[in-house]
Amino acid sequence: MSYPYQILSEEQYKEVYQFSIEKPEEFWASVAKHFTWKKKWEKVLEWNFKDPDVKWFKGAKLNITENCLDRWALTQPNTPAIIWESNDPEEHHRVLTYQELLFKVSQFANVLKNNGVKKGDRVCIYMPMVPELAIAVLACARVGAVHSVIFGGFSAQSIADRMRDARCEVVITADGAFRGNKEVPLKNVIDDALLQSPDVRRVIVLTRNRTPVSMIKGRDVWWEDEIRKVETMGNPFFPAEEMDAEDMLFILYTSGSTGKPKGVVHTCAGYMVFANYSFVNVFQYKPGDVYFCTADIGWITGHSYIVYGPLSAGATTLMFEGIPTWPDAGRFWDIVDKFRVNILYTAPTAIRSLMGFGDSYVADKDLSSLKVLGSVGEPINEEAWHWFHKNIGKEKCPIVDTWWQTETGGIMISNLAGITPAKPAHATLPLPGIQPVLVDENGNRIEGSDAASGILPADIISGNLCIQFPWPGIIRTTYGDHERCRQTYFSAYEDKYFTGDGCFRDTDGNYRITGRVDDVLNVSGHRIGTAEVENAINMHTDVVESAVVGYPHDIKGQGIYGFVVYSGSNSDLNLVRQDINQTVSRLIGPIAKLDKIQFVSGLPKTRSGKIMRRILRKIAEGELENFGDISTLLDPDVVKQIAEARV
Ligand code: WT7
């Protein structure tokens, strides 16, 4: 087995890139023809960015699980598809071959069918990182149901909001989850969410830690009981539902600069082709390699690069239930050693945190199997890059710095491991098929250092990062609100997808993403909207108003700094801080907790009442003077007061 569309030299990269922008439809057709289709497409691409309306492989019929399971179960039935490592190093690991995974997905697809799940239904999944999570995801895809996976760190309130938005009627969860030395009561959280989600008629509960749970008659059933019913049926093979190329595959909620999180929608064919193509090329996966992505399936990284990308490529994907620092900070390196991992894909925040524990946790581990390292989620700083390169890669493994987003479905800008050159702290070059452009505030294209146009003059340029042509993994809509999708991504600049990121480009055409230019924070590689956090803080009793900004944080990349106007009488301000965080935790989840809270008498506002975040950002970063022009402020004195009392 090999991948005819895998790029194997820098020379070839250049040729293929050129071809991909001259003849995008031919290019993508040449990739897509290597997949399993129930019916071939009539047209490769139809699009406009006005509505937006993007259709890839129009008229084609397929099921993504036939590409992830059946074709490999036939040709390499005994190849490990999923290797699972428990949170507990003492618990035995599990291996599921392609044949076994197909069997289990078929079984669970039957369970879904028995529980009334049909094509097009939305199913909420809130589970620990166990193989059954991947099985649940794939079983949804097999029956044609739309999965909406919610990360285990979100609160009941967040789950309820998402379930209501997607009108989910079925939930798949577990009694609880192990996380380091803690246990998380998943079913209890779901039960709280269900108090506000009247549409949910069925909850399927996997046994993981067998913590006591309340099971409601007529609504809640055990995963294991449902499987037993299927076992008495005889042959459990579930024929894959025929899906249209543009039928919905999944919804994944992500935060923006305003309002509630939006449901990013990806569809079957384009997403599959793009996740697979990017996986094979960026990581240079070779048959037999063991590939380990440390993300959680609750985020897009897990969807594309634990489940769909690797499995559609017949790869061996390692799934880890635990956390990097338990039982100690050598956990990742033990796993690499134990399973002879060849490719490791992780996040800068994890690298920085492990770096802080010193080299002793790495020293006695055999990491000689490693060939490729990857980074995702935020810009990787040079210090972390070099530590990763030296201590983990032993200076022989290329590092791929992969830039992409929930909305892009897969990796957009990255070096190809060992094929195109790396440059510390740079995502480097676009994948063939991807056409990035930098624009200024007025939407004018900034030329220069521009590989696509062949112009490469001398200076590093900077602008807002847009993509000017569709790729198969592009977001199709935001669930239930297409106008919001248009507004957020396609209205800032005409005929371009706007990423929300600021970016440099050097004289070789290398991109260096500098971070969000909107009010979106990136905390430990997780996206959090400032407006969402402010709304949560403002719900707290005696909070008058608040403003939240990001500030540089050694490990998390960005920390959350809140300025809060508090009118209560409690003089124990540390207790008030904890109360506020408890409220944020209840409403959003522990991942949105504030790192710093400063109580202020007022916020810097313009005469029209707009908060000047620019100033608050400076203060949070420790810049206590040179605020620029503050004469337009309603009360310029407030700035000085806030700066003096910085925490
Ligand atoms: C935002 C997307 C893509 C999966 C994980 C996050 C930032 C992501 C990089 C990188 C610099 C990066 C961007 C982007 N980002 N990867 N390699 N270099 N910045 O997905 O939650 O959708 O967040 O993460 O700011 O817009 P997400």
Side-chain angles (χ1 to χ4, degrees):
M1 177 194 71
S2 68
Y3 311 99
Y5 45 89
Q6 191 170 48
I7 294 162
L8 299 171
S9 70
E10 192 177 1
E11 204 43 40
Q12 195 192 355
Y13 164 78
K14 288 179 186 157
E15 275 165 31
V16 175
Y17 188 82
Q18 202 53 35
F19 177 67
S20 79
I21 60 172
E22 278 163 16
K23 301 205 159 112
E25 300 189 25
E26 276 178 49
F27 169 70
W28 286 112
S30 76
V31 177
K33 72 177 183 201
H34 300 285
F35 290 75
T36 300
W37 303 93
K38 287 178 185 283
K39 179 173 170 279
K40 256 282 174 69
W41 55 88
E42 284 141 25
K43 200 163 175 220
V44 177
L45 172 65
E46 217 173 77
W47 69 288
N48 78 72
F49 276 175
K50 287 233 151 44
D51 296 337
D53 182 16
V54 180
K55 292 189 181 77
W56 280 95
F57 310 111
K58 197 178 169 191
K61 306 284 177 195
L62 75 157
N63 189 292
I64 194 169
T65 68
E66 288 189 329
N67 286 274
C68 291
L69 302 170
D70 305 59
R71 61 166 165 166
W72 307 118
L74 208 62
T75 56
Q76 45 172 51
N78 301 319
T79 298
I82 296 178
I83 299 176
W84 174 78
E85 172 70 9
S86 165
N87 176 67
D88 177 0
E90 304 290 311
E91 183 179 350
H92 207 279
H93 68 272
R94 290 168 62 186
V95 177
L96 293 173
T97 65
Y98 273 93
Q99 191 172 32
E100 288 163 341
L101 186 59
L102 173 58
F103 178 83
K104 289 193 176 289
V105 169
S106 260
Q107 263 191 331
F108 197 68
N110 276 303
V111 167
L112 291 176
K113 186 179 164 194
N114 291 346
N115 282 278
V117 176
K118 304 178 305 300
K119 177 174 177 174
D121 292 353
R122 278 86 42 219
V123 174
C124 170
I125 303 180
Y126 187 69
M127 288 179 79
M129 278 286 287
V130 290
E132 285 74 13
L133 165 52
I135 291 166
V137 163
L138 291 162
C140 284
R142 191 127 184 123
V143 307
V146 177
H147 54 76
S148 166
V149 184
I150 302 178
F151 174 65
F154 282 110
S155 68
Q157 179 69 48
S158 294
I159 299 168
D161 290 343
R162 286 159 171 76
M163 288 201 298
R164 255 201 321 264
D165 186 77
R167 286 176 293 124
C168 293
E169 290 184 18
V170 173
V171 180
I172 309 170
T173 188
D175 47 1
F178 296 109
R179 248 186 92 72
N181 59 4
K182 292 200 195 80
E183 292 186 32
V184 188
L186 297 181
K187 176 63 163 66
N188 273 348
V189 178
I190 287 291
D191 287 340
D192 286 343
L194 289 180
L195 297 173
Q196 302 177 56
S197 320
D199 293 342
V200 174
R201 56 173 181 80
R202 179 73 78 242
V203 183
I204 304 174
V205 186
L206 177 81
T207 305
R208 178 61 187 126
N209 65 347
R210 204 49 189 98
T211 188
V213 291
S214 122
M215 295 291 282
I216 301 297
K217 195 182 294 167
R219 188 193 69 188
D220 301 351
V221 295
W222 288 103
W223 174 297
E224 295 78 8
D225 291 343
E226 295 303 294
I227 292 286
R228 232 168 277 127
K229 287 184 205 160
V230 171
E231 276 166 352
T232 62
M233 279 170 30
N235 180 9
F237 183 79
F238 191 100
E241 185 72 33
E242 181 171 295
M243 304 297 283
D244 187 81
E246 287 295 339
D247 277 341
M248 235 183 273
L249 176 63
F250 66 83
I251 306 172
L252 188 57
Y253 284 84
T254 192
S255 296
S257 51
T258 55
K260 296 259 184 214
K262 45 193 176 292
V264 171
V265 170
H266 285 289
T267 56
C268 294
Y271 172 81
M272 167 184 80
V273 169
F274 192 59
N276 175 300
Y277 157 85
S278 51
F279 171 75
V280 161
N281 278 295
V282 170
F283 300 106
Q284 290 290 306
Y285 186 87
K286 302 287 186 254
D289 283 349
V290 176
Y291 161 87
F292 174 22
C293 167
T294 68
D296 190 290
I297 291 177
W299 306 105
I300 190 70
T301 307
H303 282 60
S304 300
Y305 299 114
I306 294 178
V307 182
Y308 289 117
L311 294 178
S312 67
T316 297
T317 178
L318 197 154
M319 217 178 139
F320 173 43
E321 184 188 35
I323 58 172
T325 50
W326 191 83
D328 64 42
R331 193 70 168 105
F332 281 179
W333 324 129
D334 285 328
I335 295 173
V336 169
D337 191 336
K338 176 172 173 189
F339 297 103
R340 311 299 299 148
V341 170
N342 305 110
I343 305 171
L344 174 70
Y345 191 28
T346 190
T349 185
I351 298 168
R352 286 191 300 262
S353 139
L354 296 177
M355 213 167 99
F357 287 89
D359 300 345
S360 64
Y361 291 97
V362 187
D364 56 338
K365 311 292 158 68
D366 180 0
L367 306 182
S368 61
S369 55
L370 285 173
K371 296 194 296 188
V372 172
L373 303 175
S375 165
V376 61
E378 57 174 308
I380 177 167
N381 49 308
E382 298 213 19
E383 196 192 352
W385 194 98
H386 287 291
W387 186 84
F388 201 31
H389 188 244
K390 181 163 173 277
N391 292 279
I392 307 306
K394 314 294 180 194
E395 293 177 340
K396 67 172 179 60
C397 301
I399 298 179
V400 290
D401 180 352
T402 63
W403 175 84
W404 58 297
Q405 310 178 296
T406 304
E407 295 86 345
T408 70
I411 298 166
M412 302 285 280
I413 303 181
S414 171
N415 48 319
L416 311 183
I419 304 294
T420 60
K423 184 169 177 180
H426 289 69
T428 75
L429 302 172
L431 268 62
I434 305 305
Q435 301 187 30
V437 284
L438 297 183
V439 297
D440 65 19
E441 258 107 79
N442 305 316
N444 298 316
R445 185 172 168 160
I446 306 170
E447 302 281 350
S449 314
D450 193 340
S453 66
I455 318 168
L456 296 170
D459 289 309
I460 290 177
I461 58 169
S462 138
N464 288 342
L465 180 62
C466 294
I467 316 290
Q468 64 168 359
F469 194 86
W471 64 99
I474 190 174
I475 179 177
R476 298 303 196 276
T477 190
T478 45
Y479 191 82
D481 191 352
H482 193 62
E483 172 55 17
R484 191 165 176 205
C485 173
R486 192 192 64 78
Q487 264 286 332
T488 312
Y489 307 106
F490 299 91
S491 70
Y493 305 108
E494 208 183 338
D495 285 330
K496 289 177 188 67
Y497 166 83
F498 177 44
T499 64
D501 279 326
C503 186
F504 291 130
R505 189 168 59 212
D506 73 11
T507 49
D508 296 320
N510 287 311
Y511 289 83
R512 176 185 189 137
I513 286 80
T514 48
R516 306 289 306 194
V517 294
D518 52 11
D519 291 323
V520 171
L521 307 179
N522 187 331
V523 180
S524 301
H526 301 150
R527 202 198 291 193
I528 297 171
T530 51
E532 242 180 293
V533 182
E534 287 164 7
N535 290 340
I537 299 172
N538 296 348
M539 289 287 284
H540 189 74
T541 181
D542 295 329
V543 167
V544 180
E545 60 178 343
S546 63
V548 158
V549 295
Y551 73 99
H553 187 287
D554 284 348
I555 289 172
K556 299 179 180 184
Q558 260 186 327
I560 309 182
Y561 194 123
F563 298 88
V564 177
V565 181
Y566 171 70
S567 67
S569 55
N570 195 332
S571 59
D572 184 349
L573 290 179
N574 269 332
L575 187 58
V576 179
R577 285 190 179 94
Q578 289 175 42
D579 287 346
I580 289 174
N581 261 333
Q582 195 66 21
T583 305
V584 170
S585 198
R586 272 262 172 248
L587 293 177
I588 304 177
I591 59 168
K593 277 190 184 177
L594 288 85
D595 299 279
K596 291 184 179 181
I597 296 176
Q598 177 178 353
F599 294 103
V600 296
S601 60
L603 297 169
K605 286 187 185 172
T606 61
R607 287 192 185 88
S608 60
K610 210 175 154 249
I611 298 170
M612 292 265 271
R613 285 163 188 290
R614 179 175 62 78
I615 294 171
L616 295 176
R617 231 175 271 133
K618 277 204 162 167
I619 295 174
E621 284 164 10
E623 162 78 66
L624 302 181
E625 40 208 85
N626 305 325
F627 294 113
D629 182 13
I630 56 170
S631 62
T632 57
L633 286 181
L634 196 60
D635 175 13
D637 286 346
V638 84
V639 176
K640 208 168 147 238
Q641 282 171 29
I642 297 175
E644 275 166 6
R646 181 178 178 271
V647 293

